[in-house]
Amino acid sequence: MSHVLCGLAANAALPSELVDRLIAFADADIAMDLAGRADLSRAQAVALASRVEDSALRLAYEGRLTAADVDPATQPRAALALLEEGVGNPEWARLLAADPVVEHREKLAACPGLPPDVVEMLATDSDVRVVAEFALWTTPDVAARLAGHPHAEVRRALAANEATPPTVLAALISGDGLPPAQRCLVCDREDPPFVHDPQCSRLDRDLLPGASCDGSHESTVHDLLHAALQNPATSVEAVVGFADHPSILLRWALAARPDLPPKVCARIAVDPAPGVRADLAANPSIDDDMIRALADDNDHNVRRQLAHNPHVPLDVLTRLAAVTQVGSTLLPRIASASPSEVRELAQSPNPAARMLVAQRRDLPAEIRDVLATDSDAKVVKSVAPHPGLPESQLRAMVDRHGVRVIAKVAANPDATPALLEYLTRHEPPVQKAFREIARHPNATAPALLACLADHQARPIAAGHPALPPLVVAELLTDTNGQVAEAAAANPSLPLAVMADLLPHGFSF
């Protein structure tokens, strides 16, 4: 792969005639970057799709190709992409349903609006992978018909399909009214009893690690139950019994359901697995009593997930923030806080509460300015990226709190060119600040040159349009491929240099 040519393919300033030349030489990597160009003409899109079919998929999904531009015989994957988007020729479905390549039929099985005869062909395909993929996306009536399929993999796919009727999902879970499955992917390949060793070194197996069958298809049945528990179309009555199931994965899936009765929540709240309790803590359906009980959980991740619950009371949330690392993010409950709650949080003697509300980016100016002068560096760090802060306040933050706030100050959308240059000269330097400056639209050439000295900020700075053109050209030969690619994608790269990168007769 040529990093420089990939970067050039993505360069927004590349003239149309150079795009044409690049298409003529494009390999798969370059073609993918070319396919993402917003200015690609239809003729160029067709030429690119004809040269590299992988690019045709992206062009088809993005609406850059029509049915008239694609030949299903030579570009089957592009044709499938158009069918998936609902803009392909219906006759293609009949052609592709008989395609000898299983992967093509499998892809077709996920396409909407298939003709009835194609539906029948896919539902009875000789390869179970095709039927399973079809079951994953099919309509309620066909799902009901496939529920008794002899292969457990098809039933597993039906359990994940949100169009499968609730009564059918309940039957798949219990087995009531359905004939026993006769085969699964494991016993298709190995004689039971068999367990696929997770450390297996054979390269010819496509079974998942731990897949097993003792004649009851147990790993596929387990996957079926897991899919049904995660399916919102499955009735809660069909799954409440899994709160005490020996499988942690099934209890975990149950904990995330938004329709759990309080008694089931109470059982999950004392689950021995912290991950199960953590997913319950994040569940918006749990009530206030359950939230307060989980706030005292001894597991950090349970408390952290509870802080992200949109219904956690503010008093619980501020208590959690004081003892738990909730992350530098705007929490849902803070985002929905009322104006009076925002004022209350901003005036709280608890710095954790002030830090939480400082993450909002729509604070009234008077609250924002008070938080900007807070004595606690964590509060100031949270409010530093807030728009509207003048340069004087941003400088004052740095003068008071130094390295603890510099990166967030650099991320402020209103940071001035002079301030960004000032931050690059700070001692000691802050590596993350250089990355923020390198991507800042207000960064100047002097600031960007300073960023080039930092190995992590260098690839970002190399693509900044404010970097001097001569410097951009020099970076094309950088030993770091990411830097060279970013420089080639820089719209400040001189046109003459762009042209020189594509001499006539160039080949890979």
Side-chain angles (χ1 to χ4, degrees):
M1 180 183 76
S2 168
H3 291 284
V4 169
L5 291 180
C6 283
L8 192 64
N11 194 316
L14 189 70
S16 181
E17 59 272 18
L18 294 187
V19 172
D20 289 334
R21 286 174 57 188
L22 195 50
I23 288 172
F25 297 113
D27 62 7
D29 294 313
I30 295 169
M32 290 305 291
D33 286 303
L34 284 168
R37 294 187 62 87
D39 62 350
L40 208 64
S41 70
R42 184 185 174 201
Q44 288 172 329
V46 172
L48 183 61
S50 298
R51 178 170 177 81
V52 181
E53 190 184 1
D54 281 349
S55 68
L57 268 69
R58 179 172 181 177
L59 291 166
Y61 282 126
E62 294 182 358
R64 311 293 289 276
L65 295 175
T66 68
D69 302 323
V70 172
D71 179 358
T74 58
Q75 299 169 296
R77 290 189 295 161
L80 286 164
L82 290 176
L83 284 171
E84 185 179 355
E85 293 297 299
V87 293
N89 187 329
E91 287 300 317
W92 294 350
R94 294 184 175 89
L95 174 68
L96 293 164
D99 195 306
V101 179
V102 173
E103 289 74 13
H104 293 170
R105 305 199 309 276
E106 196 173 357
K107 185 71 175 177
L108 178 65
C111 294
L114 296 172
D117 57 324
V118 174
V119 168
E120 282 302 314
M121 292 175 69
L122 295 171
T124 57
D125 196 278
S126 59
D127 194 298
V128 71
R129 291 173 293 177
V130 176
V131 184
E133 184 67 19
F134 176 71
L136 185 61
W137 304 103
T138 195
T139 56
D141 56 331
V142 179
R145 181 158 61 92
L146 286 174
H149 196 281
H151 205 287
E153 187 65 16
V154 175
R155 301 187 188 196
R156 181 208 60 77
L158 288 171
N161 186 343
E162 294 184 16
T164 301
T167 54
V168 175
L169 289 166
L172 289 168
I173 291 171
S174 66
D176 294 343
L178 298 178
Q182 299 173 16
R183 305 291 297 174
C184 70
L185 293 180
V186 180
C187 59
D188 279 348
R189 293 160 174 75
E190 306 287 346
D191 292 330
F194 175 81
V195 178
H196 185 204
D197 185 352
Q199 307 302 320
C200 178
S201 60
R202 281 178 53 180
L203 301 178
D204 59 337
R205 285 202 178 120
D206 57 358
L207 296 177
L208 293 175
S212 62
C213 181
D214 60 2
S216 66
H217 324 300
E218 65 271 15
S219 66
T220 306
V221 170
H222 181 276
D223 290 346
L224 180 156
L225 295 173
H226 191 260
L229 283 162
Q230 292 183 305
N231 192 332
T234 305
S235 66
V236 68
E237 293 79 12
V239 298
V240 290
F242 288 90
D244 299 314
H245 197 279
S247 168
I248 183 176
L249 292 178
L250 299 186
R251 303 196 311 272
W252 212 325
L254 181 65
R257 287 186 61 100
D259 53 359
L260 296 177
K263 288 184 178 180
V264 177
C265 290
R267 286 156 63 189
I268 298 173
V270 295
D271 194 282
V276 175
R277 303 197 307 274
D279 269 25
L280 178 68
N283 193 325
S285 69
I286 61 175
D287 60 24
D288 189 79
D289 290 341
M290 180 60 62
I291 288 175
R292 293 183 182 278
L294 288 168
D296 295 323
D297 197 284
N298 59 9
D299 185 81
H300 173 272
N301 194 44
V302 173
R303 300 192 304 271
R304 187 177 188 275
Q305 291 291 356
L306 187 63
H308 287 261
N309 190 307
H311 298 144
V312 60
L314 285 180
D315 66 302
V316 175
L317 181 55
T318 53
R319 180 159 57 92
L320 288 169
V323 297
T324 306
Q325 292 183 350
V326 298
S328 57
T329 184
L330 177 61
L331 298 176
R333 180 61 182 88
I334 299 299
S336 65
S338 67
S340 61
E341 289 174 329
V342 167
R343 286 192 296 273
E344 180 183 345
L345 289 165
Q347 296 168 1
S348 171
N350 183 353
R354 304 196 303 274
M355 178 186 69
L356 290 174
V357 77
Q359 290 288 346
R360 286 185 60 146
R361 297 294 172 255
D362 59 350
L363 296 171
E366 63 274 15
I367 294 178
R368 176 202 66 202
D369 292 345
V370 169
L371 293 173
T373 59
D374 200 280
S375 59
D376 192 292
K378 291 182 179 178
V379 177
V380 176
K381 181 179 178 180
S382 294
V383 80
H386 198 293
L389 288 168
E391 181 178 350
S392 58
Q393 279 187 306
L394 294 171
R395 282 181 180 262
M397 291 179 181
V398 175
D399 293 341
R400 286 196 311 274
H401 301 288
V403 297
R404 290 174 292 181
V405 302
I406 285 179
K408 293 296 184 179
V409 169
N412 190 293
D414 297 321
T416 63
L419 175 61
L420 296 173
E421 290 183 25
Y422 169 73
L423 296 178
T424 64
R425 298 192 295 270
H426 189 274
E427 291 293 338
V430 177
Q431 189 176 57
K432 190 173 181 180
F434 284 112
R435 300 199 296 272
E436 295 291 350
I437 295 166
R439 63 172 60 95
H440 202 292
N442 293 340
T444 60
L448 293 167
L449 290 172
C451 291
L452 288 175
D454 181 87
H455 75 279
Q456 291 190 11
R458 188 176 177 87
I460 306 171
H464 200 292
L467 201 63
L470 291 179
V471 176
V472 176
E474 291 172 359
L475 291 173
L476 294 172
T477 57
D478 198 275
T479 55
N480 184 328
Q482 289 183 313
V483 175
E485 186 169 340
N490 193 322
S492 293
L493 187 68
L495 292 179
V497 177
M498 292 183 188
D500 286 343
L501 292 173
L502 280 173
H504 291 287
F506 181 90
S507 65
F508 293 96

